[in-house]
Amino acid sequence: MPPTAVVTRRGAERLRAGHPWIYQSDVAAVEAEAGDVVAVRGERGRPLAWALFSDRSQITLRALAGVPPPAGDAAFDDRAWLAARIRAAGEYRRSLAIDANAYRVVHGEADGLPALVVDRYDDVLVVQALCQGMDRRLPVIVEALVEVFAPRGILARNDPRVRGLEGLDQVVEVVHGEVPDVIEVREAGVRLMASPRHGQKTGLFLDQRENHVAAAAYARGRALDAFTYNGGFALHLAERCPHVLALDSSAAAVETTRANAALNGAANVEVREANVFDELRELETAHARFDTIVLDPPAFAKNKASVARAAAGYKEINLRALKLLAPGGHLVTCSCSYHVDEAMLMEIVTAAAADARVSVWLVEKRMQARDHPVLVGVPETHYLKCLILRTLA
Ligand code: SAH
């Protein structure tokens, strides 16, 4: 008999609706060890799904997509499952013909590989195993990645704080081949230095890749990239704008953005270490004007409780940006807070436009790049919103 879990009617209904997470309160009984793949059954014994079991997290079960439900007493073949899902994930990314050599190869739940992230930086892979089941299977995952992608090296960037919720420690280690400290990657026409060991996330904000290119398509005149990190938007804007001002409060990010600007021969990018909230106010006082502005702040709302404060923060930067925008100018405004959804971001922008007394067009509604797919029925997988706005000329 494989390890098993019995879920309540509510748990079964959630699974049926397509959501892979079953919370502790919807689990009636479990016979399994931490990190096991369990056969999930309904209260009357009906087989529902296979799932990864966690004995620590509030999310007790994470159902596996793309595998048939348990049949009889048959055991689960994790090796075959991991290899097949990883191969499918790779094939999907290949089908996108991505004009870059840094992108996400595995996006967790959306790829049927719950709590597993794999990012590619040229010939190096960076993996994050964010639940007990994936952590335990890291050696098998590495074997499958080597077989499918033949990378030069694989780094396990297992330092996100969420691992604590699973009772897992925070470790960063090379688990295959060699991994340089800094890797030069290409994103469309832009060259970027990525640092998978020390950078934010796994090195770059790969989810903004397509938005960098989309923003550049509207960019002209004087440009401002607030929250630039390593220059993701700024360097693309610099291909079309005579002057780009890039801001970030992190000294390390500013240093890398300057190095990236030099790497691209972009002498028109001015990088300033500054708090965006203060800098926008000062630019307004100085009567500065921009034709293109990008706002890509960190997640202001980390949880439901902080939504109201976050909304005030988003409102403030959007209001100030709209005031700094010349007529006919473009504002590319983003939010990566899952708890602030697209409708709420639209409301915030609408209020900001009213306060700034400008008429604004909504030109494009965008989201995270297609290598970070959204799984329908799982709102948590749609976290990045990007609106492209234009003020009436
Ligand atoms: N736009 C980037 C990603 C930005 S991530 C890209 O596409 O690659 C958010 C960035 O905002 C981080 O680099 C962080 O250091 C910076 N940041 C956070 N709070 C800030 C503040 N108040 N002022 C300026 N920068 C800030």
Side-chain angles (χ1 to χ4, degrees):
M1 275 289 278
T4 55
V6 176
V7 296
T8 63
R9 267 183 62 177
R10 199 170 61 174
E13 184 46 41
R14 241 173 107 75
L15 280 178
R16 201 198 59 78
H19 206 300
W21 296 350
I22 302 297
Y23 296 101
Q24 212 166 17
S25 53
D26 289 330
V27 177
V30 185
E31 264 184 57
E33 304 279 324
D36 276 351
V37 171
V38 296
V40 183
R41 296 181 190 281
E43 281 173 327
R44 291 201 197 128
R46 192 160 64 91
L48 300 174
W50 292 102
L52 294 172
F53 166 64
S54 169
D55 70 352
R56 287 287 287 274
S57 166
Q58 283 296 310
I59 306 172
T60 303
L61 301 172
R62 296 168 192 261
L64 313 183
V67 286
D73 288 348
F76 185 78
D77 184 348
D78 352 359
R79 209 165 265 273
W81 160 66
L82 285 165
R85 293 310 320 161
I86 287 172
R87 191 163 292 119
E91 272 161 25
Y92 167 61
R93 274 55 179 196
R94 256 194 303 282
S95 78
L96 295 176
I98 294 172
D99 184 15
N101 63 359
Y103 51 83
R104 181 149 294 186
V105 177
V106 171
H107 187 50
E109 277 71 2
D111 280 294
L113 291 161
L116 181 70
V117 167
V118 182
D119 287 340
R120 176 188 163 193
Y121 291 91
D122 191 18
D123 51 4
V124 165
L125 296 176
V126 183
V127 14
Q128 296 186 313
L130 304 176
C131 74
Q132 293 174 350
M134 286 301 182
D135 187 65
R136 214 173 88 179
R137 288 171 183 78
L138 196 54
V140 188
I141 292 166
V142 169
E143 262 177 48
L145 290 172
V146 169
E147 194 184 309
V148 175
F149 301 104
R152 167 182 174 191
I154 302 179
L155 181 74
R157 180 75 196 265
N158 276 332
D159 59 346
R161 244 177 296 160
V162 288
R163 276 177 53 102
L165 304 177
E166 297 275 334
L168 301 170
D169 50 4
Q170 301 187 357
V171 272
V172 178
E173 56 185 348
V174 174
V175 286
H176 172 77
E178 48 157 354
V179 176
D181 260 345
V182 177
I183 303 173
E184 184 185 323
V185 296
R186 186 186 60 79
E187 191 184 271
V190 166
R191 295 159 72 188
L192 294 163
M193 302 301 250
S195 157
R197 276 192 184 78
H198 307 292
Q200 298 189 35
K201 304 247 264 187
T202 61
L204 288 177
F205 288 82
L206 301 173
D207 49 6
Q208 288 285 26
R209 181 175 46 79
E210 293 175 346
N211 295 330
H212 294 157
V213 175
Y218 298 96
R220 60 179 173 72
R222 281 185 58 82
L224 170 66
D225 178 18
F227 310 99
T228 196
Y229 182 50
N230 288 357
F233 281 98
L235 294 167
H236 282 88
L237 302 182
E239 292 180 333
R240 308 191 51 147
C241 301
H243 185 264
V244 183
L245 174 60
L247 308 174
D248 204 287
S249 57
S250 144
V254 164
E255 194 184 323
T256 311
T257 303
R258 288 200 179 117
N260 282 337
L263 184 67
N264 288 276
N268 54 338
V269 177
E270 179 192 342
V271 193
R272 212 178 276 170
E273 184 180 328
N275 180 325
V276 167
F277 287 88
D278 300 337
E279 188 71 22
L280 289 180
R281 210 172 302 129
E282 280 166 28
L283 288 166
E284 196 181 318
T285 311
H287 301 290
R289 275 281 193 232
F290 295 92
D291 304 289
T292 309
I293 300 180
V294 177
L295 294 176
D296 182 22
F300 288 160
K302 299 268 192 234
N303 51 45
K304 260 192 198 150
S306 55
V307 167
R309 269 198 60 192
Y314 287 116
K315 165 88 183 289
E316 177 171 346
I317 56 175
N318 279 282
L319 171 57
R320 294 198 187 279
L322 286 172
K323 285 188 181 166
L324 288 171
L325 210 55
H330 289 92
L331 171 61
V332 178
T333 187
C334 310
S335 165
C336 58
S337 304
Y338 159 67
H339 297 282
V340 173
D341 65 9
E342 192 184 75
M344 190 187 284
L345 184 61
M346 267 307 291
E347 271 175 40
I348 290 167
V349 163
T350 306
D355 288 3
R357 298 178 188 285
V358 284
S359 295
V360 175
W361 295 350
L362 173 61
V363 184
E364 271 195 60
K365 274 184 183 175
R366 306 183 53 85
M367 56 181 195
Q368 65 234 37
R370 292 168 303 161
D371 43 321
H372 299 60
V374 172
L375 184 58
V376 168
V378 189
E380 292 84 352
T381 60
H382 179 196
Y383 64 97
L384 181 61
K385 285 76 58 182
C386 170
L387 307 176
I388 301 185
L389 309 163
R390 180 186 161 102
T391 53
L392 203 67

